[in-house]
Amino acid sequence: MKLMVVGCGQCGGRIADQFSKLNRVAHVRRGVDIATNVVAVNSDVADLSGLEHIRADYQHRILIGSQKTSGHGVGKINEMGAEIARDDGDKLIEAIKNTPNFGETDAFLLIAGAAGGTGSGSISVLSQQIKERFPEKPVYNMLVLPFAYEEATEERSVFNVGICLKSCYLVADAIFLVDNQRFIKASHSLRANLDKINYHMVKPFYNLLCAGEEKNSKYIGSKVMDGGDIIQTLSGWTVIGFGQAKTPNLRFSRNADFREQSSEVRKGAEAINAALADLSLRCNPTDAKRGLYLLTAAQADMSMDLINEMSGALKGMATEATIRTGDYPRGDKTLDVTVVLSELVNSSRVMDYFSKTISYINNSRRRQSGLEYGFRGVEDSFKDIPSLL
Ligand SMILES: Nc1nc2c(ncn2[C@@H]2O[C@H](COP(=O)(O)OP(=O)(O)OP(=O)(O)O)[C@@H](O)[C@H]2O)c(=O)[nH]1
């Protein structure tokens, strides 16, 4: 599957930068492309200059809103991020149209930090513009949720997240949720943490996108996970994770005794559990209506028993989900698994942001007018959260 990746704002740009690197790795090591193009959109010149892998020209590092921000960002005011995207979104559309192999794009992936200004404000507006211009291709979002310290110190962050989540939900076909706080290493610097999280977020996509692009018959799976399977799985709130288990040196063979084989098979469940523990946002798998897993391992390590065990392990957790599976005979010594859980209902984290956003709005109104606004419950008040569209 080939994505057109658009990083919005600093956070989105940096994660898109990792996708650009991943695409080069796929090209060099596997002879396949998994992105038709990777671009960054920002209102801040310095953020664009800090990127390492995205091509350094105005068609790939796209400056928006320079008349209003003089190239210095929007200072976390995501309404302004939305406004400059409405004004300058045609620059992105132009860059997309000029992509030489645009026709090979299976879907768009737009990425942003939900708590910021430029990315948080522009992502839904740009997604809508892309949907209007290229209605035949799905548009996915990846939203990065802030660290706990940001929520505690900057009330505006939570408000930004709330209206970004709502606006993206109204336009995107699926939204990958990523929790910065989940992968934090307290002893590491902020920059080291961000780099690690960014790498961590793109890693599960590597095998998933490569599997359906393979041209070498040696690496074509028995059940190929192609773009169609992924597109059919992605809907609404979505999480992704990567798990791994070491394969013992004993390969499946007629000579391996029962105990050896069952220990190999257990490795499959171990890899699935590792992927579930690694999901980009903590969630209850029973909330997922759709899911998939891709097993990547040496051909000799993939037995029917192993696949059965893995499918059973995932279905045992995601009991309500229709699960698609695929195998990708690449690799050695490890079983690598990418798990996607999608169409999550009742995401408590999302509901929590909506509820906090409503409190923020009510408090602001109270401060401004002295009026009392009672809390009316999340579902009733969803419409009170402004949309950027
Ligand atoms: N995972 C990750 N999160 C990041 C990164 N950079 C910023 N963030 C998070 O993104 C949010 C802030 O968004 P930014 O992308 O910095 O803001 P922006 O969209 O550039 O908007 P302005 O700077 O206000 O114009 C915060 O929650 C940060 O913790 C990054 O490289 N990786």
Side-chain angles (χ1 to χ4, degrees):
M1 179 172 184
K2 290 194 181 122
L3 295 174
M4 167 91 64
V5 181
V6 180
C8 309
Q10 182 168 48
C11 172
R14 286 193 189 139
I15 297 177
D17 214 34
Q18 286 297 318
F19 268 103
S20 185
K21 183 176 172 187
L22 202 70
N23 189 40
R24 202 159 50 242
V25 172
H27 189 83
V28 171
R29 295 209 188 136
R30 297 187 172 177
V32 302
D33 287 318
I34 53 177
T36 50
N37 202 353
V38 182
V39 303
V41 177
N42 209 318
S43 60
D44 192 314
V45 177
D47 289 353
L48 288 174
S49 307
L51 300 171
E52 291 174 26
H53 305 286
I54 293 176
R55 280 172 59 182
D57 59 53
Y58 73 96
Q59 289 268 357
H60 292 84
R61 300 187 186 190
I62 302 167
L63 185 66
I64 57 170
S66 55
Q67 299 211 321
K68 287 188 174 130
T69 71
S70 308
H72 296 307
V74 301
K76 285 209 184 300
I77 308 299
N78 68 353
E79 293 91 336
M80 192 189 278
E83 193 182 315
I84 60 175
R86 271 189 291 274
D87 293 347
D88 284 351
D90 53 335
K91 291 186 181 176
L92 172 63
I93 300 294
E94 205 49 37
I96 292 170
K97 285 199 312 204
N98 289 338
T99 300
N101 49 348
F102 171 70
E104 293 172 26
T105 306
D106 294 300
F108 292 92
L109 176 67
L110 287 84
I111 310 167
T118 305
S120 169
S122 63
I123 184 167
S124 55
V125 173
L126 296 174
S127 296
Q128 191 175 47
Q129 291 173 349
I130 290 173
K131 267 192 105 81
E132 282 165 9
R133 295 301 291 268
F134 311 103
E136 69 289 354
K137 297 192 195 286
V139 176
Y140 304 126
N141 287 171
M142 177 185 276
L143 293 179
V144 178
L145 304 175
F147 294 107
Y149 80 85
E150 294 176 287
E151 289 186 31
T153 52
E154 303 161 22
E155 223 187 350
R156 171 86 205 188
S157 295
V158 172
F159 175 76
N160 283 354
V161 175
I163 61 177
C164 178
L165 284 171
K166 173 173 172 174
S167 307
C168 289
Y169 189 73
L170 294 175
V171 64
D173 293 289
I175 302 152
F176 290 93
L177 295 170
V178 176
D179 186 2
N180 263 350
Q181 187 65 24
R182 186 147 163 55
F183 304 104
I184 204 163
K185 289 262 183 305
S187 57
H188 292 188
S189 70
L190 178 59
R191 187 59 214 243
N193 265 299
L194 293 178
D195 288 346
K196 213 156 177 204
I197 295 168
N198 295 351
Y199 170 71
H200 206 92
M201 281 309 99
V202 302
K203 188 177 174 186
F205 286 88
Y206 185 52
N207 289 328
L208 190 62
L209 298 176
C210 284
E213 297 302 320
E214 272 295 347
K215 293 173 192 79
N216 187 334
S217 60
K218 209 167 108 190
Y219 302 125
I220 307 280
S222 324
K223 169 80 187 68
V224 177
M225 175 72 67
D226 56 22
D229 292 306
I230 300 170
I231 289 168
Q232 287 308 318
T233 301
L234 297 179
S235 174
W237 307 121
T238 300
V239 292
I240 186 165
F242 177 82
Q244 196 169 64
K246 281 205 168 66
T247 46
N249 287 329
L250 313 156
R251 285 276 157 94
F252 282 100
S253 72
R254 269 170 282 147
N255 299 332
D257 72 17
F258 173 74
R259 252 175 321 184
E260 288 164 344
Q261 287 199 6
S262 67
S263 110
E264 290 267 4
V265 165
R266 272 200 305 276
K267 291 282 172 190
E270 189 183 315
I272 288 280
N273 288 336
L276 289 173
D278 178 76
L279 289 174
S280 53
L281 176 79
R282 204 166 267 127
C283 69
N284 187 349
T286 55
D287 288 343
K289 293 272 180 266
R290 307 180 195 204
L292 65 77
Y293 81 83
L294 173 72
L295 167 64
T296 305
Q299 184 78 69
D301 287 330
M302 293 196 273
S303 72
M304 270 321 293
D305 283 347
L306 179 79
I307 308 269
N308 281 338
E309 174 79 9
M310 294 177 76
S311 300
L314 188 55
K315 188 66 187 167
M317 300 292 282
T319 50
E320 304 303 310
T322 302
I323 294 171
R324 290 182 162 77
T325 66
D327 62 290
Y328 185 22
R330 268 235 179 217
D332 194 25
K333 297 192 178 130
T334 57
L335 302 179
D336 294 353
V337 181
T338 294
V339 168
V340 173
L341 296 180
S342 196
E343 207 179 338
L344 290 165
V345 290
N346 309 320
S347 167
S348 57
R349 193 66 190 279
V350 171
M351 291 304 152
D352 193 41
Y353 276 116
F354 286 157
S355 135
K356 285 182 185 157
T357 304
I358 291 158
S359 301
Y360 175 88
I361 294 168
N362 288 346
N363 286 339
S364 308
R365 285 177 182 164
R366 197 178 300 137
R367 276 198 294 270
Q368 278 165 19
S369 64
L371 289 176
E372 280 298 310
Y373 280 83
F375 179 64
R376 300 194 292 121
V378 173
E379 305 245 328
D380 283 350
S381 307
F382 180 77
K383 63 179 181 333
D384 284 355
I385 299 175
S387 160
L388 296 164
L389 299 171

PDB file of all heavy atoms in Angstrom, residues 310-332:
ATOM      1  N   MET A 310      -2.324 -17.378  16.816  1.00  0.00           N
ATOM      2  CA  MET A 310      -2.294 -15.914  16.816  1.00  0.00           C
ATOM      3  C   MET A 310      -3.698 -15.345  16.585  1.00  0.00           C
ATOM      4  O   MET A 310      -4.110 -14.396  17.258  1.00  0.00           O
ATOM      5  CB  MET A 310      -1.335 -15.400  15.743  1.00  0.00           C
ATOM      6  CG  MET A 310       0.093 -15.772  16.068  1.00  0.00           C
ATOM      7  SD  MET A 310       1.246 -15.266  14.812  1.00  0.00           S
ATOM      8  CE  MET A 310       1.375 -13.541  15.134  1.00  0.00           C
ATOM      9  N   SER A 311      -4.420 -15.932  15.643  1.00  0.00           N
ATOM     10  CA  SER A 311      -5.778 -15.446  15.371  1.00  0.00           C
ATOM     11  C   SER A 311      -6.630 -15.616  16.616  1.00  0.00           C
ATOM     12  O   SER A 311      -7.396 -14.720  16.996  1.00  0.00           O
ATOM     13  CB  SER A 311      -6.415 -16.217  14.214  1.00  0.00           C
ATOM     14  OG  SER A 311      -5.632 -16.050  13.063  1.00  0.00           O
ATOM     15  N   GLY A 312      -6.474 -16.772  17.282  1.00  0.00           N
ATOM     16  CA  GLY A 312      -7.247 -17.035  18.497  1.00  0.00           C
ATOM     17  C   GLY A 312      -6.901 -16.034  19.587  1.00  0.00           C
ATOM     18  O   GLY A 312      -7.785 -15.536  20.295  1.00  0.00           O
ATOM     19  N   ALA A 313      -5.593 -15.721  19.699  1.00  0.00           N
ATOM     20  CA  ALA A 313      -5.159 -14.793  20.758  1.00  0.00           C
ATOM     21  C   ALA A 313      -5.768 -13.412  20.530  1.00  0.00           C
ATOM     22  O   ALA A 313      -6.249 -12.771  21.466  1.00  0.00           O
ATOM     23  CB  ALA A 313      -3.633 -14.708  20.788  1.00  0.00           C
ATOM     24  N   LEU A 314      -5.778 -12.961  19.270  1.00  0.00           N
ATOM     25  CA  LEU A 314      -6.309 -11.621  19.002  1.00  0.00           C
ATOM     26  C   LEU A 314      -7.838 -11.599  19.138  1.00  0.00           C
ATOM     27  O   LEU A 314      -8.408 -10.698  19.753  1.00  0.00           O
ATOM     28  CB  LEU A 314      -5.884 -11.140  17.603  1.00  0.00           C
ATOM     29  CG  LEU A 314      -6.218  -9.683  17.309  1.00  0.00           C
ATOM     30  CD1 LEU A 314      -5.642  -8.738  18.354  1.00  0.00           C
ATOM     31  CD2 LEU A 314      -5.715  -9.267  15.928  1.00  0.00           C
ATOM     32  N   LYS A 315      -8.473 -12.630  18.602  1.00  0.00           N
ATOM     33  CA  LYS A 315      -9.944 -12.683  18.674  1.00  0.00           C
ATOM     34  C   LYS A 315     -10.399 -12.796  20.138  1.00  0.00           C
ATOM     35  O   LYS A 315     -11.442 -12.261  20.523  1.00  0.00           O
ATOM     36  CB  LYS A 315     -10.457 -13.866  17.842  1.00  0.00           C
ATOM     37  CG  LYS A 315     -11.952 -13.918  17.686  1.00  0.00           C
ATOM     38  CD  LYS A 315     -12.513 -12.753  16.883  1.00  0.00           C
ATOM     39  CE  LYS A 315     -14.031 -12.736  16.881  1.00  0.00           C
ATOM     40  NZ  LYS A 315     -14.625 -11.505  16.403  1.00  0.00           N
ATOM     41  N   GLY A 316      -9.565 -13.475  20.946  1.00  0.00           N
ATOM     42  CA  GLY A 316      -9.887 -13.613  22.369  1.00  0.00           C
ATOM     43  C   GLY A 316      -9.917 -12.271  23.077  1.00  0.00           C
ATOM     44  O   GLY A 316     -10.604 -12.092  24.077  1.00  0.00           O
ATOM     45  N   MET A 317      -9.131 -11.314  22.573  1.00  0.00           N
ATOM     46  CA  MET A 317      -9.095  -9.975  23.193  1.00  0.00           C
ATOM     47  C   MET A 317     -10.089  -9.037  22.497  1.00  0.00           C
ATOM     48  O   MET A 317     -10.848  -8.343  23.149  1.00  0.00           O
ATOM     49  CB  MET A 317      -7.688  -9.373  23.066  1.00  0.00           C
ATOM     50  CG  MET A 317      -6.601 -10.182  23.713  1.00  0.00           C
ATOM     51  SD  MET A 317      -6.768 -10.196  25.491  1.00  0.00           S
ATOM     52  CE  MET A 317      -6.109  -8.610  25.910  1.00  0.00           C
ATOM     53  N   ALA A 318     -10.038  -9.013  21.163  1.00  0.00           N
ATOM     54  CA  ALA A 318     -10.920  -8.111  20.402  1.00  0.00           C
ATOM     55  C   ALA A 318     -12.164  -8.904  19.997  1.00  0.00           C
ATOM     56  O   ALA A 318     -12.376  -9.211  18.818  1.00  0.00           O
ATOM     57  CB  ALA A 318     -10.179  -7.567  19.192  1.00  0.00           C
ATOM     58  N   THR A 319     -12.977  -9.216  20.976  1.00  0.00           N
ATOM     59  CA  THR A 319     -14.062 -10.188  20.756  1.00  0.00           C
ATOM     60  C   THR A 319     -15.128  -9.713  19.771  1.00  0.00           C
ATOM     61  O   THR A 319     -15.804 -10.519  19.151  1.00  0.00           O
ATOM     62  CB  THR A 319     -14.747 -10.521  22.103  1.00  0.00           C
ATOM     63  OG1 THR A 319     -15.054  -9.280  22.736  1.00  0.00           O
ATOM     64  CG2 THR A 319     -13.855 -11.350  22.996  1.00  0.00           C
ATOM     65  N   GLU A 320     -15.287  -8.388  19.631  1.00  0.00           N
ATOM     66  CA  GLU A 320     -16.360  -7.872  18.777  1.00  0.00           C
ATOM     67  C   GLU A 320     -15.867  -7.543  17.365  1.00  0.00           C
ATOM     68  O   GLU A 320     -16.638  -7.053  16.543  1.00  0.00           O
ATOM     69  CB  GLU A 320     -16.953  -6.587  19.382  1.00  0.00           C
ATOM     70  CG  GLU A 320     -17.464  -6.733  20.809  1.00  0.00           C
ATOM     71  CD  GLU A 320     -18.510  -7.827  20.913  1.00  0.00           C
ATOM     72  OE1 GLU A 320     -19.448  -7.815  20.114  1.00  0.00           O
ATOM     73  OE2 GLU A 320     -18.355  -8.710  21.788  1.00  0.00           O
ATOM     74  N   ALA A 321     -14.581  -7.742  17.114  1.00  0.00           N
ATOM     75  CA  ALA A 321     -14.002  -7.245  15.851  1.00  0.00           C
ATOM     76  C   ALA A 321     -13.990  -8.298  14.741  1.00  0.00           C
ATOM     77  O   ALA A 321     -13.781  -9.486  14.994  1.00  0.00           O
ATOM     78  CB  ALA A 321     -12.575  -6.759  16.104  1.00  0.00           C
ATOM     79  N   THR A 322     -14.222  -7.823  13.517  1.00  0.00           N
ATOM     80  CA  THR A 322     -13.942  -8.637  12.338  1.00  0.00           C
ATOM     81  C   THR A 322     -12.447  -8.478  12.087  1.00  0.00           C
ATOM     82  O   THR A 322     -11.959  -7.351  11.938  1.00  0.00           O
ATOM     83  CB  THR A 322     -14.717  -8.085  11.121  1.00  0.00           C
ATOM     84  OG1 THR A 322     -16.087  -8.095  11.453  1.00  0.00           O
ATOM     85  CG2 THR A 322     -14.449  -8.892   9.870  1.00  0.00           C
ATOM     86  N   ILE A 323     -11.723  -9.589  12.054  1.00  0.00           N
ATOM     87  CA  ILE A 323     -10.259  -9.481  11.997  1.00  0.00           C
ATOM     88  C   ILE A 323      -9.721 -10.009  10.670  1.00  0.00           C
ATOM     89  O   ILE A 323     -10.026 -11.148  10.268  1.00  0.00           O
ATOM     90  CB  ILE A 323      -9.624 -10.236  13.183  1.00  0.00           C
ATOM     91  CG1 ILE A 323     -10.008  -9.520  14.482  1.00  0.00           C
ATOM     92  CG2 ILE A 323      -8.100 -10.300  13.050  1.00  0.00           C
ATOM     93  CD1 ILE A 323      -9.647 -10.248  15.723  1.00  0.00           C
ATOM     94  N   ARG A 324      -8.933  -9.183  10.000  1.00  0.00           N
ATOM     95  CA  ARG A 324      -8.265  -9.604   8.769  1.00  0.00           C
ATOM     96  C   ARG A 324      -6.838 -10.024   9.120  1.00  0.00           C
ATOM     97  O   ARG A 324      -6.232  -9.419  10.008  1.00  0.00           O
ATOM     98  CB  ARG A 324      -8.248  -8.474   7.743  1.00  0.00           C
ATOM     99  CG  ARG A 324      -9.618  -8.183   7.193  1.00  0.00           C
ATOM    100  CD  ARG A 324      -9.598  -7.093   6.138  1.00  0.00           C
ATOM    101  NE  ARG A 324     -10.817  -7.118   5.347  1.00  0.00           N
ATOM    102  CZ  ARG A 324     -11.993  -6.652   5.763  1.00  0.00           C
ATOM    103  NH1 ARG A 324     -12.099  -6.122   6.978  1.00  0.00           N
ATOM    104  NH2 ARG A 324     -13.059  -6.710   4.991  1.00  0.00           N
ATOM    105  N   THR A 325      -6.328 -11.009   8.409  1.00  0.00           N
ATOM    106  CA  THR A 325      -4.986 -11.497   8.729  1.00  0.00           C
ATOM    107  C   THR A 325      -4.127 -11.535   7.468  1.00  0.00           C
ATOM    108  O   THR A 325      -4.654 -11.568   6.349  1.00  0.00           O
ATOM    109  CB  THR A 325      -5.042 -12.934   9.296  1.00  0.00           C
ATOM    110  OG1 THR A 325      -5.507 -13.797   8.263  1.00  0.00           O
ATOM    111  CG2 THR A 325      -5.978 -13.027  10.485  1.00  0.00           C
ATOM    112  N   GLY A 326      -2.831 -11.532   7.660  1.00  0.00           N
ATOM    113  CA  GLY A 326      -1.927 -11.659   6.526  1.00  0.00           C
ATOM    114  C   GLY A 326      -0.583 -12.173   7.005  1.00  0.00           C
ATOM    115  O   GLY A 326      -0.224 -12.020   8.176  1.00  0.00           O
ATOM    116  N   ASP A 327       0.155 -12.818   6.098  1.00  0.00           N
ATOM    117  CA  ASP A 327       1.504 -13.262   6.450  1.00  0.00           C
ATOM    118  C   ASP A 327       2.484 -12.719   5.419  1.00  0.00           C
ATOM    119  O   ASP A 327       2.138 -12.536   4.246  1.00  0.00           O
ATOM    120  CB  ASP A 327       1.572 -14.787   6.507  1.00  0.00           C
ATOM    121  CG  ASP A 327       1.261 -15.420   5.159  1.00  0.00           C
ATOM    122  OD1 ASP A 327       0.085 -15.355   4.741  1.00  0.00           O
ATOM    123  OD2 ASP A 327       2.185 -15.950   4.515  1.00  0.00           O
ATOM    124  N   TYR A 328       3.670 -12.438   5.892  1.00  0.00           N
ATOM    125  CA  TYR A 328       4.690 -11.806   5.052  1.00  0.00           C
ATOM    126  C   TYR A 328       6.010 -12.539   5.319  1.00  0.00           C
ATOM    127  O   TYR A 328       6.621 -12.345   6.368  1.00  0.00           O
ATOM    128  CB  TYR A 328       4.766 -10.322   5.445  1.00  0.00           C
ATOM    129  CG  TYR A 328       5.679  -9.441   4.626  1.00  0.00           C
ATOM    130  CD1 TYR A 328       6.075  -9.776   3.336  1.00  0.00           C
ATOM    131  CD2 TYR A 328       6.129  -8.235   5.154  1.00  0.00           C
ATOM    132  CE1 TYR A 328       6.898  -8.946   2.608  1.00  0.00           C
ATOM    133  CE2 TYR A 328       6.954  -7.385   4.432  1.00  0.00           C
ATOM    134  CZ  TYR A 328       7.335  -7.747   3.164  1.00  0.00           C
ATOM    135  OH  TYR A 328       8.155  -6.913   2.439  1.00  0.00           O
ATOM    136  N   PRO A 329       6.390 -13.413   4.394  1.00  0.00           N
ATOM    137  CA  PRO A 329       7.556 -14.256   4.656  1.00  0.00           C
ATOM    138  C   PRO A 329       8.883 -13.520   4.472  1.00  0.00           C
ATOM    139  O   PRO A 329       9.575 -13.689   3.475  1.00  0.00           O
ATOM    140  CB  PRO A 329       7.395 -15.401   3.652  1.00  0.00           C
ATOM    141  CG  PRO A 329       6.581 -14.830   2.548  1.00  0.00           C
ATOM    142  CD  PRO A 329       5.736 -13.725   3.116  1.00  0.00           C
ATOM    143  N   ARG A 330       9.195 -12.693   5.429  1.00  0.00           N
ATOM    144  CA  ARG A 330      10.445 -11.920   5.414  1.00  0.00           C
ATOM    145  C   ARG A 330      11.010 -11.949   6.809  1.00  0.00           C
ATOM    146  O   ARG A 330      10.264 -11.875   7.771  1.00  0.00           O
ATOM    147  CB  ARG A 330      10.164 -10.468   5.059  1.00  0.00           C
ATOM    148  CG  ARG A 330      10.255 -10.166   3.595  1.00  0.00           C
ATOM    149  CD  ARG A 330      11.241  -9.023   3.388  1.00  0.00           C
ATOM    150  NE  ARG A 330      11.374  -8.722   1.972  1.00  0.00           N
ATOM    151  CZ  ARG A 330      12.530  -8.371   1.437  1.00  0.00           C
ATOM    152  NH1 ARG A 330      13.610  -8.298   2.154  1.00  0.00           N
ATOM    153  NH2 ARG A 330      12.610  -8.085   0.146  1.00  0.00           N
ATOM    154  N   GLY A 331      12.277 -11.986   6.947  1.00  0.00           N
ATOM    155  CA  GLY A 331      12.848 -11.871   8.284  1.00  0.00           C
ATOM    156  C   GLY A 331      13.483 -13.167   8.737  1.00  0.00           C
ATOM    157  O   GLY A 331      13.468 -14.174   8.035  1.00  0.00           O
ATOM    158  N   ASP A 332      14.004 -13.109   9.950  1.00  0.00           N
ATOM    159  CA  ASP A 332      14.773 -14.229  10.466  1.00  0.00           C
ATOM    160  C   ASP A 332      14.831 -14.094  11.980  1.00  0.00           C
ATOM    161  O   ASP A 332      14.946 -12.984  12.500  1.00  0.00           O
ATOM    162  CB  ASP A 332      16.191 -14.148   9.881  1.00  0.00           C
ATOM    163  CG  ASP A 332      16.943 -15.431  10.090  1.00  0.00           C
ATOM    164  OD1 ASP A 332      16.300 -16.472  10.231  1.00  0.00           O
ATOM    165  OD2 ASP A 332      18.187 -15.359  10.129  1.00  0.00           O
TER     166      ASP A 332
END
